[in-house]
């Protein structure tokens, strides 16, 4: 069956450390993968997009990797801050699909001072 | 800045009522989407639209219908609300740049 999995347990880390979140999928062949941030009671906000032919993408303190062989994406936040505390969602996108996305359930990140 | 607005932040309805959720975007986006979000299940696509009057079913369309009469507006309709439709409803829009822009969500409670 088709699945997209993110760590269901919350990730607790200390301020200043690097947070690493995982997104695994099975029986999908995405053309691209996106990461979103969602704060409580709000809609998700787009962070980064990485295409199937890209290994790594960076934006400020954020880094995303995409391994189509392992069917996995890793999302890193370096020098994490309490303001980075939120739920992070990964989403798979497909070519010719009107930008339709399949979302994971998200991982909650808590950064402690 | 792209803005997606939803008609209500919180809504309480009774079982059997017809419910309308409205979504408006101001960036002339072709694509619009309705999702519901439940704990542990993530966002699930109900319906989407890629043009005025065009719509396609998502993964969980049962019990819902949609309307897109104008490009900027996409409505979700619950024909006869049931308690299992209690959820957070999120609207999103996108152009050809692939990322989706979300509204603030409507938390619907059906009693």
């Amino acid at each position: 069956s088709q699945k997209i999995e993110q760590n269901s347990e919350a990730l607790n880390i200390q301020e200043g450390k690097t947070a690493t979140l995982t997104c695994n999928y099975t029986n999908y062949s995405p053309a691209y993968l996106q990461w979103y941030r969602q704060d409580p009671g709000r809609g998700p906000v787009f962070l980064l997009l990485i295409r199937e032919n890209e290994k790594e993408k960076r934006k400020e303190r954020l880094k995303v990797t995409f391994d189509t062989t392992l069917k996995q994406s890793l999302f890193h936040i370096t020098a994490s801050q309490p303001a980075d505390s939120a739920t992070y969602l990964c989403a798979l996108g497909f070519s010719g699909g009107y930008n339709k996305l399949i979302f994971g359930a998200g991982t909650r990140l808590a950064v402690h001072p | 800045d792209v803005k997606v607005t939803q008609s209500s932040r919180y809504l309480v309805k009774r079982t059997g009522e017809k419910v309308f959720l409205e979504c408006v975007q101001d960036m002339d986006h072709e694509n619009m989407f309705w999702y519901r979000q439940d704990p542990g299940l993530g966002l699930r696509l109900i319906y989407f639209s890629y043009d005025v009057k065009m719509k396609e079913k998502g993964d969980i369309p049962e019990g819902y219908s949609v309307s897109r009469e104008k490009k900027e507006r996409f409505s979700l309709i619950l024909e006869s609300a049931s308690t299992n439709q209690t959820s957070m409803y999120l609207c999103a829009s996108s152009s050809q740049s692939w990322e989706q822009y979300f509204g603030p969500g409507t938390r619907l409670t059906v009693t």
Side-chain angles (χ1 to χ4, degrees):
Chain A
S1 65
Q2 294 176 314
K3 279 192 299 187
I4 175 169
E5 291 180 315
Q6 297 184 252
N7 293 355
S8 56
E9 305 252 334
L11 180 63
N12 290 282
I13 65 165
Q14 211 63 31
E15 182 175 7
K17 301 291 186 187
T18 296
T20 298
L21 286 70
T22 305
C23 176
N24 294 299
Y25 59 92
T26 53
N27 294 322
Y28 285 114
S29 296
Y32 56 93
L33 189 147
Q34 300 183 14
W35 283 88
Y36 288 78
R37 170 187 172 135
Q38 186 174 24
D39 292 289
R42 294 178 173 267
V45 174
F46 171 78
L47 296 174
L48 279 169
L49 178 151
I50 186 165
R51 295 177 177 80
E52 60 180 333
N53 60 351
E54 298 174 316
K55 294 290 184 193
E56 183 179 297
K57 206 80 167 282
R58 291 175 185 260
K59 179 182 173 183
E60 296 169 356
R61 294 184 296 110
L62 308 180
K63 184 178 89 170
V64 173
T65 63
F66 191 12
D67 188 326
T68 55
T69 302
L70 289 179
K71 296 188 181 298
Q72 181 182 76
S73 175
L74 299 178
F75 177 79
H76 306 272
I77 305 175
T78 58
S80 59
Q81 304 164 1
D84 295 326
S85 299
T87 296
Y88 291 86
L89 309 172
C90 70
L92 308 182
F94 306 89
S95 55
Y98 299 112
N99 301 357
K100 198 172 74 162
L101 297 173
I102 308 292
F103 281 85
T107 298
R108 190 161 58 85
L109 172 67
V111 181
H112 302 283
Chain B
D1 266 1
V2 175
K3 195 158 185 191
V4 179
T5 56
Q6 295 184 227
S7 49
S8 307
R9 290 301 306 273
Y10 300 93
L11 210 50
V12 180
K13 295 292 181 180
R14 293 198 179 276
T15 302
E17 279 193 85
K18 191 167 186 175
V19 182
F20 293 86
L21 303 182
E22 301 267 298
C23 175
V24 178
Q25 50 97 0
D26 66 357
M27 282 303 291
D28 202 37
H29 284 171
E30 297 83 10
N31 307 312
M32 295 188 75
F33 309 83
W34 274 107
Y35 297 90
R36 63 178 282 176
Q37 186 174 31
D38 301 288
L41 295 178
L43 276 76
R44 293 180 291 166
L45 182 64
I46 304 171
Y47 267 97
F48 69 99
S49 168
Y50 51 90
D51 202 349
V52 175
K53 296 193 188 294
M54 306 304 288
K55 61 187 179 188
E56 287 213 10
K57 293 179 181 179
D59 300 316
I60 51 164
E62 297 79 18
Y64 303 94
S65 62
V66 290
S67 170
R68 193 166 180 201
E69 297 296 317
K70 293 186 177 182
K71 192 174 186 180
E72 68 271 18
R73 190 179 296 269
F74 191 34
S75 301
L76 180 70
I77 303 146
L78 285 66
E79 297 291 342
S80 177
S82 63
T83 54
N84 63 12
Q85 292 179 309
T86 291
S87 187
M88 170 71 95
Y89 289 88
L90 288 157
C91 173
S93 72
S94 76
S95 65
Q96 300 309 313
S97 60
W98 296 356
E99 66 261 35
Q100 293 189 9
Y101 296 86
F102 283 83
T106 296
R107 187 164 292 283
L108 173 68
T109 302
V110 183
T111 61

